[in-house]
Amino acid sequence: MFQALRTALLPRAGCSFWDADSERSYQELFDKLDTNNDGKVDVAELRAGLKKMGMFRHGAAQKIVLTGDQNQDGCLDFTEFTKYLKDHEMKLRLTFKSLDRNNDGRIDASEIQQALAELGIEINREAAQKILQSMDIDGSMMVDWNEFREHFLLYPAFNLEEIIRYWKHSLVLDIGDSLSIPDEFTEEEKSSDVWWKQLVAGAAAGAVSRTGTAPLDRLKVFMQVHSSKTHRINLIGGFRQMIMEGGLMSLWRGNGINVLKIAPETAIKFMAYEQYKKLLSSEGKKIETHKRFIAGSMAGATAQTAIYPMEVLKTRLTLRKTGQYAGMFDCAKKILRKEGAIAFYKGYVPNLIGIIPYAGIDLAVYETLKNTWLSYHAKDSANPGVLVLLGCGTISSTCGQLASYPLALVRTRMQAQALIKGPLFSLLRTIVAKDGFFGLYRGILPNFMKVIPAVSISYVVYEYMKTGLGISK
């Protein structure tokens, strides 16, 4: 039924879009979409038409109108509609040629696998065939130009990198730790102002998210440093101690500098990541997943090295008693005077080592979940939906935290001067001997408790910021 409607409404595969027959086909398609006969097609009419043709994809109608609407009246007249289709077909032709590696005029499953692999997505042949089947009209298990054009003509995505864009997660999900691999930006995004707007939106989302979950973060640090086998601190008891000592607002101690360090860390990580990718990748080729991990880890290490004194200040300010410091500058001055400049890098080694298990497991779990979803659902839509994205991001980040948490605990204790100097593994053995294996996970409960609210807050704020900054999805 859907195929019959598409055949009736869309231009015939044998016709060229640049001749008189194409113009008539455009007119026929436009007339069928213009259900109220006012000479214009709005978002509602286009959405209804796409549904009838079995081509509905969330947000497609709005994006088509937004792209083709030259006079900004919220609709497409016939001239705008025709221009959009012609421009879009030119882009589709370039994409088709880039996918057709052997230049035989057809795309097969191996070519789809190769194209996705260059974008960092590894799929098996069966999954590639499923994607192929969604475009294959004649059942040949190959897609020629006419089939490719018909499938994507009224779909605003013209590039397989659209799939990657849906799967960005580290900018959106801020759970307080910044050790994940940075996101990829396409060449189109880099040449426009989209990349910095996304960074700004992500930083704003992180600031609101960290502020909203600051009490749980302070409790985590409090338990990491002060809780032990002989002096257990539970959730209620920890909150009670902090409020009794400094009042309700003391729950937000250390949040100011925690928010302040987002901007420099994000900027340094992004710039370093781009440079490391250039060093590790061949000219003109997409970076492979393992090299992306190496570049991301190195970028994380570079950013952490640059802003690490702020991490030490954050820990000291989080744990401070009432009246101990007048502010972050007073705190920095007292540390410098009493302990010297080296104090600003206490815990640096376990923090640096922790990047590898966190970023590696976060990336591996996320890629596995992403590829599993794509293998089952990519033939229907590149867009996984909000719940799938949030779920995958939350699970991968949580797994990364679990792997690196003992190192994070040692780092925090060293920053707070709660551990004497010594080799890293000796310090870990000391904690296990004193508090048992689970002593390495002191404070993990409030840390996990803040994940879901942090993810939810950061996602909502990120979406509002994208709208405010004019970034179309």
Side-chain angles (χ1 to χ4, degrees):
M1 177 62 182
F2 287 152
Q3 187 55 51
L5 282 166
R6 289 172 67 179
T7 304
L9 288 174
L10 286 171
R12 293 175 63 85
C15 295
S16 168
F17 272 50
W18 305 106
D19 58 22
D21 286 339
S22 291
E23 291 296 330
R24 282 195 294 272
S25 297
Y26 284 153
Q27 187 68 62
E28 289 172 9
L29 177 58
F30 184 83
D31 291 341
K32 289 183 182 293
L33 292 171
D34 182 20
T35 53
N36 62 2
N37 299 314
D38 64 349
K40 296 181 179 181
V41 174
D42 60 22
V43 174
E45 288 174 320
L46 185 54
R47 187 184 294 119
L50 291 175
K51 282 184 177 178
K52 284 182 180 179
M53 287 183 276
M55 300 170 68
F56 176 75
R57 295 174 177 90
H58 181 71
Q62 186 175 4
K63 190 169 184 179
I64 289 171
V65 172
L66 189 67
T67 304
D69 183 17
Q70 295 178 315
N71 60 7
Q72 305 296 309
D73 64 350
C75 305
L76 298 179
D77 58 28
F78 179 67
T79 303
E80 292 171 327
F81 183 73
T82 303
K83 186 178 187 308
Y84 170 81
L85 290 180
K86 288 181 178 180
D87 290 346
H88 193 57
E89 185 182 346
M90 288 178 64
K91 294 172 183 176
L92 288 175
R93 171 65 81 174
L94 293 174
T95 302
F96 181 83
K97 285 183 177 179
S98 70
L99 291 171
D100 182 19
R101 303 305 172 95
N102 59 7
N103 296 314
D104 65 349
R106 296 177 297 180
I107 301 170
D108 59 26
S110 64
E111 288 170 324
I112 287 178
Q113 277 182 288
Q114 187 177 352
L116 288 175
E118 289 179 358
L119 294 177
I121 300 178
E122 303 290 340
I123 61 172
N124 57 32
R125 188 170 183 82
E126 183 184 358
Q129 287 174 340
K130 286 182 180 180
I131 295 174
L132 199 69
Q133 284 171 350
S134 70
M135 297 180 275
D136 182 22
I137 295 173
D138 59 13
S140 64
M141 289 307 294
M142 288 189 174
V143 173
D144 61 23
W145 161 241
N146 292 322
E147 291 171 319
F148 187 81
R149 178 185 61 188
E150 178 170 329
H151 184 79
F152 286 108
L153 183 66
L154 288 176
Y155 180 37
F158 59 86
N159 193 314
L160 280 180
E161 290 191 8
E162 289 286 332
I163 294 175
I164 298 300
R165 292 181 191 179
Y166 284 120
W167 287 95
K168 290 184 174 181
H169 76 299
S170 69
L171 284 179
V172 181
L173 310 181
D174 189 301
I175 58 172
D177 295 285
S178 305
L179 305 180
S180 56
I181 302 298
D183 272 318
E184 297 288 328
F185 287 103
T186 65
E187 292 305 318
E188 179 188 350
E189 288 172 327
K190 290 175 191 173
S191 62
S192 66
D193 60 0
V194 170
W195 68 272
W196 70 261
K197 287 183 177 179
Q198 289 194 8
L199 289 177
V200 170
V208 177
S209 171
R210 292 184 186 193
T211 302
T213 58
L216 285 168
D217 187 66
R218 188 179 183 224
L219 179 61
K220 176 196 77 174
V221 175
F222 192 77
M223 292 174 73
Q224 283 179 329
V225 175
H226 296 304
S227 183
S228 65
K229 204 168 187 178
T230 56
H231 182 242
R232 293 185 182 276
I233 300 174
N234 57 31
L235 287 173
I236 305 299
F239 277 126
R240 186 186 296 118
Q241 283 185 51
M242 290 188 293
I243 292 171
M244 286 177 65
E245 192 277 327
L248 188 64
M249 292 307 295
S250 70
L251 298 179
W252 276 267
R253 282 179 183 169
N255 181 61
I257 195 164
N258 195 33
V259 168
L260 196 63
K261 68 186 177 71
I262 293 174
E265 185 172 14
T266 302
I268 294 167
K269 186 189 287 188
F270 172 69
M271 290 186 290
Y273 183 52
E274 291 300 315
Q275 293 304 312
Y276 289 133
K277 280 199 303 179
K278 287 178 184 177
L279 289 172
L280 293 171
S281 61
S282 303
E283 188 70 30
K285 288 188 177 181
K286 297 284 182 182
I287 189 168
E288 297 96 328
T289 301
H290 72 281
K291 288 184 179 179
R292 179 175 171 240
F293 167 67
I294 295 170
S297 297
M298 290 169 66
T302 302
Q304 283 288 302
T305 301
I307 62 97
Y308 194 77
M310 298 179 78
E311 293 279 1
V312 174
L313 286 173
K314 183 247 180 184
T315 299
R316 296 290 182 94
L317 289 167
T318 299
L319 294 169
R320 78 182 188 271
K321 295 185 182 299
T322 303
Q324 186 176 356
Y325 303 118
M328 68 177 74
F329 292 110
D330 181 54
C331 178
K333 192 164 56 178
K334 286 180 178 177
I335 292 173
L336 187 63
R337 188 171 61 247
K338 292 179 181 178
E339 303 170 51
I342 194 69
F344 290 106
Y345 281 87
K346 286 185 175 179
Y348 175 74
V349 172
N351 183 69
L352 209 60
I353 296 173
I355 291 173
I356 304 299
Y358 185 102
I361 291 173
D362 180 33
L363 179 63
V365 172
Y366 194 80
E367 290 292 317
T368 301
L369 294 172
K370 176 180 74 176
N371 292 333
T372 301
W373 187 93
L374 285 169
S375 67
Y376 287 101
H377 303 288
K379 65 176 183 178
D380 301 317
S381 170
N383 186 354
V386 174
L387 290 178
V388 175
L389 280 175
L390 293 183
C392 291
T394 302
I395 292 168
S396 64
S397 297
T398 302
C399 291
Q401 282 190 336
L402 269 173
S404 64
Y405 195 85
L407 291 166
L409 181 134
V410 171
R411 175 203 67 197
T412 303
R413 289 193 176 186
M414 291 177 76
Q415 289 172 342
Q417 292 185 300
L419 279 175
I420 58 172
K421 292 181 181 179
L424 174 60
F425 291 105
S426 175
L427 296 175
L428 289 169
R429 278 199 302 270
T430 301
I431 294 171
V432 172
K434 185 179 178 182
D435 297 326
F437 175 77
F438 291 106
L440 296 173
Y441 287 88
R442 297 285 182 203
I444 193 75
L445 181 57
N447 193 60
F448 281 164
M449 286 176 65
K450 73 173 186 170
V451 169
I452 293 177
V455 165
S456 304
I457 293 169
S458 58
Y459 183 81
V460 171
V461 175
Y462 183 74
E463 290 301 309
Y464 273 107
M465 286 297 297
K466 279 176 65 180
T467 303
L469 291 170
I471 309 173
S472 57
K473 207 170 182 182

